[in-house]
mmCIF file of all heavy atoms in Angstrom:
data_model
loop_
_atom_site.group_PDB
_atom_site.id
_atom_site.type_symbol
_atom_site.label_atom_id
_atom_site.label_comp_id
_atom_site.label_asym_id
_atom_site.label_seq_id
_atom_site.Cartn_x
_atom_site.Cartn_y
_atom_site.Cartn_z
ATOM 1 N N THR A 2 0.823 -1.197 0.000
ATOM 2 C CA THR A 2 0.000 0.000 0.000
ATOM 3 C C THR A 2 0.864 1.256 0.000
ATOM 4 O O THR A 2 1.888 1.314 0.688
ATOM 5 C CB THR A 2 -0.937 0.018 1.217
ATOM 6 O OG1 THR A 2 -1.782 -1.142 1.183
ATOM 7 C CG2 THR A 2 -1.810 1.261 1.219
ATOM 8 N N VAL A 3 0.445 2.236 -0.780
ATOM 9 C CA VAL A 3 1.045 3.565 -0.803
ATOM 10 C C VAL A 3 0.022 4.548 -0.257
ATOM 11 O O VAL A 3 -1.181 4.425 -0.532
ATOM 12 C CB VAL A 3 1.484 3.957 -2.223
ATOM 13 C CG1 VAL A 3 1.957 5.408 -2.263
ATOM 14 C CG2 VAL A 3 2.584 3.035 -2.706
ATOM 15 N N TYR A 4 0.496 5.530 0.492
ATOM 16 C CA TYR A 4 -0.372 6.513 1.120
ATOM 17 C C TYR A 4 -0.015 7.918 0.658
ATOM 18 O O TYR A 4 1.121 8.204 0.285
ATOM 19 C CB TYR A 4 -0.237 6.466 2.644
ATOM 20 C CG TYR A 4 -0.511 5.115 3.241
ATOM 21 C CD1 TYR A 4 0.525 4.236 3.527
ATOM 22 C CD2 TYR A 4 -1.811 4.710 3.519
ATOM 23 C CE1 TYR A 4 0.280 2.992 4.076
ATOM 24 C CE2 TYR A 4 -2.061 3.463 4.067
ATOM 25 C CZ TYR A 4 -1.016 2.608 4.343
ATOM 26 O OH TYR A 4 -1.271 1.371 4.891
ATOM 27 N N LEU A 5 -0.998 8.784 0.701
ATOM 28 C CA LEU A 5 -0.774 10.205 0.512
ATOM 29 C C LEU A 5 -1.487 10.940 1.639
ATOM 30 O O LEU A 5 -2.716 11.034 1.646
ATOM 31 C CB LEU A 5 -1.281 10.693 -0.848
ATOM 32 C CG LEU A 5 -0.957 12.144 -1.182
ATOM 33 C CD1 LEU A 5 0.550 12.323 -1.389
ATOM 34 C CD2 LEU A 5 -1.722 12.611 -2.417
ATOM 35 N N GLN A 6 -0.719 11.416 2.604
ATOM 36 C CA GLN A 6 -1.253 12.215 3.692
ATOM 37 C C GLN A 6 -1.329 13.657 3.226
ATOM 38 O O GLN A 6 -0.314 14.245 2.842
ATOM 39 C CB GLN A 6 -0.368 12.104 4.933
ATOM 40 C CG GLN A 6 -0.833 12.953 6.104
ATOM 41 C CD GLN A 6 -2.145 12.485 6.681
ATOM 42 O OE1 GLN A 6 -2.328 11.285 6.894
ATOM 43 N NE2 GLN A 6 -3.065 13.403 6.928
ATOM 44 N N MET A 7 -2.516 14.230 3.247
ATOM 45 C CA MET A 7 -2.753 15.575 2.747
ATOM 46 C C MET A 7 -3.216 16.450 3.901
ATOM 47 O O MET A 7 -4.289 16.224 4.467
ATOM 48 C CB MET A 7 -3.791 15.566 1.621
ATOM 49 C CG MET A 7 -3.446 14.612 0.488
ATOM 50 S SD MET A 7 -4.616 14.720 -0.894
ATOM 51 C CE MET A 7 -6.118 14.171 -0.085
ATOM 52 N N ASN A 8 -2.418 17.439 4.238
ATOM 53 C CA ASN A 8 -2.728 18.380 5.305
ATOM 54 C C ASN A 8 -2.889 19.779 4.731
ATOM 55 O O ASN A 8 -2.461 20.062 3.622
ATOM 56 C CB ASN A 8 -1.624 18.378 6.363
ATOM 57 C CG ASN A 8 -1.440 17.042 7.037
ATOM 58 O OD1 ASN A 8 -2.396 16.296 7.238
ATOM 59 N ND2 ASN A 8 -0.202 16.734 7.404
ATOM 60 N N SER A 9 -3.494 20.649 5.517
ATOM 61 C CA SER A 9 -3.691 22.049 5.118
ATOM 62 C C SER A 9 -4.296 22.146 3.728
ATOM 63 O O SER A 9 -3.836 22.898 2.869
ATOM 64 C CB SER A 9 -2.363 22.814 5.181
ATOM 65 O OG SER A 9 -1.820 22.768 6.485
ATOM 66 N N LEU A 10 -5.343 21.388 3.509
ATOM 67 C CA LEU A 10 -5.943 21.308 2.182
ATOM 68 C C LEU A 10 -6.552 22.636 1.758
ATOM 69 O O LEU A 10 -7.089 23.389 2.579
ATOM 70 C CB LEU A 10 -6.989 20.206 2.149
ATOM 71 C CG LEU A 10 -6.410 18.795 2.063
ATOM 72 C CD1 LEU A 10 -7.438 17.759 2.478
ATOM 73 C CD2 LEU A 10 -5.916 18.512 0.640
ATOM 74 N N LYS A 11 -6.442 22.895 0.464
ATOM 75 C CA LYS A 11 -6.961 24.108 -0.151
ATOM 76 C C LYS A 11 -8.008 23.746 -1.193
ATOM 77 O O LYS A 11 -7.989 22.641 -1.736
ATOM 78 C CB LYS A 11 -5.823 24.880 -0.838
ATOM 79 C CG LYS A 11 -4.634 25.195 0.043
ATOM 80 C CD LYS A 11 -3.521 25.819 -0.786
ATOM 81 C CE LYS A 11 -2.311 26.134 0.058
ATOM 82 N NZ LYS A 11 -1.217 26.720 -0.760
ATOM 83 N N PRO A 12 -8.912 24.669 -1.518
ATOM 84 C CA PRO A 12 -9.871 24.383 -2.598
ATOM 85 C C PRO A 12 -9.199 23.985 -3.907
ATOM 86 O O PRO A 12 -9.754 23.166 -4.648
ATOM 87 C CB PRO A 12 -10.637 25.703 -2.731
ATOM 88 C CG PRO A 12 -10.612 26.274 -1.358
ATOM 89 C CD PRO A 12 -9.242 25.919 -0.811
ATOM 90 N N ASP A 13 -8.015 24.519 -4.195
ATOM 91 C CA ASP A 13 -7.303 24.162 -5.418
ATOM 92 C C ASP A 13 -6.822 22.713 -5.425
ATOM 93 O O ASP A 13 -6.403 22.210 -6.462
ATOM 94 C CB ASP A 13 -6.102 25.084 -5.635
ATOM 95 C CG ASP A 13 -6.495 26.460 -6.144
ATOM 96 O OD1 ASP A 13 -7.663 26.653 -6.522
ATOM 97 O OD2 ASP A 13 -5.619 27.353 -6.171
ATOM 98 N N ASP A 14 -6.856 22.044 -4.283
ATOM 99 C CA ASP A 14 -6.508 20.632 -4.227
ATOM 100 C C ASP A 14 -7.648 19.735 -4.696
ATOM 101 O O ASP A 14 -7.456 18.519 -4.823
ATOM 102 C CB ASP A 14 -6.109 20.228 -2.803
ATOM 103 C CG ASP A 14 -4.854 20.926 -2.328
ATOM 104 O OD1 ASP A 14 -3.902 21.070 -3.118
ATOM 105 O OD2 ASP A 14 -4.821 21.322 -1.139
ATOM 106 N N THR A 15 -8.819 20.302 -4.927
ATOM 107 C CA THR A 15 -9.961 19.521 -5.390
ATOM 108 C C THR A 15 -9.645 18.870 -6.729
ATOM 109 O O THR A 15 -9.275 19.545 -7.691
ATOM 110 C CB THR A 15 -11.201 20.410 -5.516
ATOM 111 O OG1 THR A 15 -11.580 20.880 -4.219
ATOM 112 C CG2 THR A 15 -12.364 19.638 -6.118
ATOM 113 N N ALA A 16 -9.771 17.550 -6.789
ATOM 114 C CA ALA A 16 -9.420 16.799 -7.989
ATOM 115 C C ALA A 16 -9.731 15.330 -7.753
ATOM 116 O O ALA A 16 -10.009 14.912 -6.625
ATOM 117 C CB ALA A 16 -7.936 16.957 -8.329
ATOM 118 N N VAL A 17 -9.678 14.561 -8.823
ATOM 119 C CA VAL A 17 -9.631 13.112 -8.709
ATOM 120 C C VAL A 17 -8.167 12.721 -8.580
ATOM 121 O O VAL A 17 -7.342 13.112 -9.411
ATOM 122 C CB VAL A 17 -10.274 12.410 -9.912
ATOM 123 C CG1 VAL A 17 -10.143 10.893 -9.786
ATOM 124 C CG2 VAL A 17 -11.742 12.805 -10.035
ATOM 125 N N TYR A 18 -7.852 11.963 -7.556
ATOM 126 C CA TYR A 18 -6.480 11.555 -7.285
ATOM 127 C C TYR A 18 -6.274 10.115 -7.729
ATOM 128 O O TYR A 18 -7.078 9.234 -7.412
ATOM 129 C CB TYR A 18 -6.160 11.699 -5.798
ATOM 130 C CG TYR A 18 -5.926 13.132 -5.390
ATOM 131 C CD1 TYR A 18 -6.983 14.035 -5.332
ATOM 132 C CD2 TYR A 18 -4.644 13.590 -5.087
ATOM 133 C CE1 TYR A 18 -6.771 15.361 -4.988
ATOM 134 C CE2 TYR A 18 -4.428 14.912 -4.737
ATOM 135 C CZ TYR A 18 -5.498 15.795 -4.688
ATOM 136 O OH TYR A 18 -5.276 17.103 -4.340
ATOM 137 N N TYR A 19 -5.188 9.884 -8.464
ATOM 138 C CA TYR A 19 -4.867 8.583 -9.025
ATOM 139 C C TYR A 19 -3.509 8.117 -8.538
ATOM 140 O O TYR A 19 -2.563 8.907 -8.507
ATOM 141 C CB TYR A 19 -4.807 8.639 -10.552
ATOM 142 C CG TYR A 19 -6.084 9.065 -11.236
ATOM 143 C CD1 TYR A 19 -6.351 10.402 -11.482
ATOM 144 C CD2 TYR A 19 -7.011 8.113 -11.648
ATOM 145 C CE1 TYR A 19 -7.518 10.788 -12.114
ATOM 146 C CE2 TYR A 19 -8.178 8.497 -12.285
ATOM 147 C CZ TYR A 19 -8.424 9.834 -12.522
ATOM 148 O OH TYR A 19 -9.575 10.213 -13.158
ATOM 149 N N CYS A 20 -3.393 6.843 -8.208
ATOM 150 C CA CYS A 20 -2.070 6.278 -7.975
ATOM 151 C C CYS A 20 -1.570 5.626 -9.250
ATOM 152 O O CYS A 20 -2.346 5.204 -10.111
ATOM 153 C CB CYS A 20 -2.047 5.300 -6.796
ATOM 154 S SG CYS A 20 -3.052 3.825 -6.984
ATOM 155 N N ASN A 21 -0.251 5.562 -9.373
ATOM 156 C CA ASN A 21 0.384 5.101 -10.597
ATOM 157 C C ASN A 21 1.613 4.274 -10.271
ATOM 158 O O ASN A 21 2.387 4.614 -9.380
ATOM 159 C CB ASN A 21 0.775 6.309 -11.460
ATOM 160 C CG ASN A 21 1.794 5.959 -12.537
ATOM 161 O OD1 ASN A 21 2.986 6.203 -12.361
ATOM 162 N ND2 ASN A 21 1.321 5.394 -13.631
ATOM 163 N N ARG A 22 1.767 3.180 -11.002
ATOM 164 C CA ARG A 22 3.003 2.418 -11.023
ATOM 165 C C ARG A 22 3.302 2.044 -12.458
ATOM 166 O O ARG A 22 2.603 1.213 -13.050
ATOM 167 C CB ARG A 22 2.925 1.157 -10.164
ATOM 168 C CG ARG A 22 4.306 0.568 -9.875
ATOM 169 C CD ARG A 22 4.271 -0.870 -9.429
ATOM 170 N NE ARG A 22 4.164 -1.784 -10.553
ATOM 171 C CZ ARG A 22 4.474 -3.075 -10.498
ATOM 172 N NH1 ARG A 22 4.880 -3.608 -9.357
ATOM 173 N NH2 ARG A 22 4.335 -3.835 -11.574
ATOM 174 N N GLY A 23 4.314 2.663 -13.036
ATOM 175 C CA GLY A 23 4.643 2.415 -14.419
ATOM 176 C C GLY A 23 3.482 2.780 -15.326
ATOM 177 O O GLY A 23 3.005 3.918 -15.336
ATOM 178 N N PHE A 24 3.005 1.791 -16.082
ATOM 179 C CA PHE A 24 1.883 2.011 -16.987
ATOM 180 C C PHE A 24 0.533 1.686 -16.366
ATOM 181 O O PHE A 24 -0.496 1.754 -17.051
ATOM 182 C CB PHE A 24 2.067 1.185 -18.258
ATOM 183 C CG PHE A 24 3.302 1.529 -19.031
ATOM 184 C CD1 PHE A 24 4.358 0.642 -19.112
ATOM 185 C CD2 PHE A 24 3.410 2.751 -19.669
ATOM 186 C CE1 PHE A 24 5.504 0.965 -19.823
ATOM 187 C CE2 PHE A 24 4.552 3.084 -20.386
ATOM 188 C CZ PHE A 24 5.599 2.189 -20.458
ATOM 189 N N SER A 25 0.495 1.358 -15.074
ATOM 190 C CA SER A 25 -0.741 0.988 -14.403
ATOM 191 C C SER A 25 -1.291 2.154 -13.607
ATOM 192 O O SER A 25 -0.546 2.887 -12.956
ATOM 193 C CB SER A 25 -0.504 -0.207 -13.475
ATOM 194 O OG SER A 25 -0.092 -1.345 -14.204
ATOM 195 N N TRP A 26 -2.617 2.298 -13.651
ATOM 196 C CA TRP A 26 -3.321 3.364 -12.951
ATOM 197 C C TRP A 26 -4.489 2.806 -12.172
ATOM 198 O O TRP A 26 -5.135 1.847 -12.605
ATOM 199 C CB TRP A 26 -3.862 4.410 -13.936
ATOM 200 C CG TRP A 26 -2.804 5.149 -14.676
ATOM 201 C CD1 TRP A 26 -2.178 4.758 -15.820
ATOM 202 C CD2 TRP A 26 -2.236 6.408 -14.319
ATOM 203 N NE1 TRP A 26 -1.256 5.702 -16.200
ATOM 204 C CE2 TRP A 26 -1.268 6.729 -15.304
ATOM 205 C CE3 TRP A 26 -2.458 7.296 -13.278
ATOM 206 C CZ2 TRP A 26 -0.527 7.893 -15.263
ATOM 207 C CZ3 TRP A 26 -1.713 8.470 -13.233
ATOM 208 C CH2 TRP A 26 -0.764 8.752 -14.221
ATOM 209 N N GLY A 27 -4.771 3.414 -11.032
ATOM 210 C CA GLY A 27 -5.983 3.093 -10.315
ATOM 211 C C GLY A 27 -7.185 3.791 -10.915
ATOM 212 O O GLY A 27 -7.079 4.548 -11.898
ATOM 213 N N GLN A 28 -8.350 3.551 -10.334
ATOM 214 C CA GLN A 28 -9.594 4.117 -10.853
ATOM 215 C C GLN A 28 -9.817 5.557 -10.409
ATOM 216 O O GLN A 28 -10.674 6.244 -10.967
ATOM 217 C CB GLN A 28 -10.783 3.250 -10.417
ATOM 218 C CG GLN A 28 -11.357 3.556 -9.034
ATOM 219 C CD GLN A 28 -10.450 3.150 -7.877
ATOM 220 O OE1 GLN A 28 -9.487 2.403 -8.055
ATOM 221 N NE2 GLN A 28 -10.768 3.632 -6.682
ATOM 222 N N GLY A 29 -9.083 6.010 -9.418
ATOM 223 C CA GLY A 29 -9.190 7.362 -8.908
ATOM 224 C C GLY A 29 -10.116 7.463 -7.718
ATOM 225 O O GLY A 29 -11.058 6.685 -7.561
ATOM 226 N N THR A 30 -9.843 8.444 -6.865
ATOM 227 C CA THR A 30 -10.703 8.748 -5.739
ATOM 228 C C THR A 30 -10.884 10.263 -5.658
ATOM 229 O O THR A 30 -9.928 11.026 -5.802
ATOM 230 C CB THR A 30 -10.137 8.174 -4.421
ATOM 231 O OG1 THR A 30 -11.066 8.375 -3.356
ATOM 232 C CG2 THR A 30 -8.794 8.798 -4.056
ATOM 233 N N GLN A 31 -12.120 10.684 -5.468
ATOM 234 C CA GLN A 31 -12.452 12.105 -5.509
ATOM 235 C C GLN A 31 -12.104 12.779 -4.191
ATOM 236 O O GLN A 31 -12.480 12.307 -3.115
ATOM 237 C CB GLN A 31 -13.947 12.292 -5.794
ATOM 238 C CG GLN A 31 -14.417 13.743 -5.762
ATOM 239 C CD GLN A 31 -13.925 14.547 -6.935
ATOM 240 O OE1 GLN A 31 -14.053 14.114 -8.082
ATOM 241 N NE2 GLN A 31 -13.350 15.719 -6.666
ATOM 242 N N VAL A 32 -11.409 13.903 -4.287
ATOM 243 C CA VAL A 32 -11.135 14.768 -3.146
ATOM 244 C C VAL A 32 -11.764 16.125 -3.437
ATOM 245 O O VAL A 32 -11.466 16.749 -4.458
ATOM 246 C CB VAL A 32 -9.630 14.924 -2.891
ATOM 247 C CG1 VAL A 32 -9.364 15.993 -1.831
ATOM 248 C CG2 VAL A 32 -9.028 13.587 -2.479
ATOM 249 N N THR A 33 -12.634 16.573 -2.549
ATOM 250 C CA THR A 33 -13.279 17.866 -2.696
ATOM 251 C C THR A 33 -13.011 18.695 -1.454
ATOM 252 O O THR A 33 -13.317 18.263 -0.334
ATOM 253 C CB THR A 33 -14.792 17.718 -2.902
ATOM 254 O OG1 THR A 33 -15.045 16.908 -4.054
ATOM 255 C CG2 THR A 33 -15.444 19.082 -3.092
ATOM 256 N N VAL A 34 -12.434 19.870 -1.649
ATOM 257 C CA VAL A 34 -12.096 20.769 -0.549
ATOM 258 C C VAL A 34 -12.973 22.007 -0.674
ATOM 259 O O VAL A 34 -12.903 22.732 -1.669
ATOM 260 C CB VAL A 34 -10.612 21.154 -0.562
ATOM 261 C CG1 VAL A 34 -10.281 22.013 0.653
ATOM 262 C CG2 VAL A 34 -9.742 19.900 -0.593
ATOM 263 N N SER A 35 -13.789 22.254 0.319
ATOM 264 C CA SER A 35 -14.689 23.390 0.312
ATOM 265 C C SER A 35 -14.082 24.554 1.075
ATOM 266 O O SER A 35 -13.257 24.376 1.979
ATOM 267 C CB SER A 35 -16.040 23.009 0.916
ATOM 268 O OG SER A 35 -15.907 22.681 2.290
#
């Protein structure tokens, strides 16, 4: 497992976040910062 700890989040961080290894990608997880 790989982690991304995100602190002090800003509205500009709003995005779908994807993990990547080489040519492989995950399905993405939505992060919304209000």
Side-chain angles (χ1 to χ4, degrees):
T2 301
V3 173
Y4 304 96
L5 186 68
Q6 178 67 46
M7 306 185 296
N8 299 326
S9 301
L10 283 162
K11 306 174 181 179
D13 284 349
D14 296 319
T15 295
V17 177
Y18 284 71
Y19 300 89
C20 63
N21 163 261
R22 196 198 82 161
F24 299 111
S25 298
W26 295 85
Q28 85 289 346
T30 186
Q31 176 71 49
V32 172
T33 302
V34 184
S35 65

